[in-house]
Amino acid sequence: MCTYKDIEQVELPNGKTVKEANEAMRREIDKIYLEAWKQGVSVPFFDNDGNIYLANPDGSEDHVRLDRQTRTYQVIRRTAQPGEGRYSYLIAR
């Protein structure tokens, strides 16, 4: 089994390495979060177990339950205080 380090320098058909492609994707995702936060929108993200969280504009995050039919959500619990969430590093930019 190979590791990420083993493949990060593999060149893709577009001429970029795996590492460069991953970095470009991370920058694009960061941009999406920042644009949504400017509009006051919390952005959902998922953990490896399928739980849904909201990354809030203040850098906090909430574990939520979404109701897709009514397009509403219920906060189960706050998992990170303002400035301490998974994407809070974007606020400092």
Side-chain angles (χ1 to χ4, degrees):
M1 183 174 180
C2 65
T3 65
Y4 179 74
K5 188 152 183 75
D6 296 334
I7 65 167
E8 69 182 357
Q9 295 306 318
V10 170
E11 190 170 309
L12 300 169
N14 64 3
K16 293 184 179 184
T17 64
V18 169
K19 185 176 183 175
E20 291 169 333
N22 284 341
E23 182 61 24
M25 182 177 294
R26 185 198 56 77
R27 284 192 305 271
E28 187 63 27
I29 291 169
D30 290 353
K31 183 177 156 186
I32 291 168
Y33 275 74
L34 289 169
E35 288 176 8
W37 287 347
K38 284 180 188 175
Q39 298 173 24
V41 176
S42 296
V43 184
F45 67 92
F46 305 86
D47 67 10
N48 291 336
D49 297 324
N51 295 309
I52 305 168
Y53 297 85
L54 292 179
N56 300 313
D58 65 358
S60 65
E61 66 186 47
D62 300 317
H63 182 197
V64 298
R65 180 177 300 119
L66 293 179
D67 183 337
R68 296 186 197 291
Q69 289 182 337
T70 62
R71 298 179 59 94
T72 59
Y73 66 90
Q74 174 187 10
V75 175
I76 297 171
R77 65 186 161 85
R78 174 145 291 181
T79 56
Q81 296 304 313
E84 297 176 0
R86 181 180 298 189
Y87 294 97
S88 63
Y89 69 92
L90 295 172
I91 296 172
R93 289 186 174 183

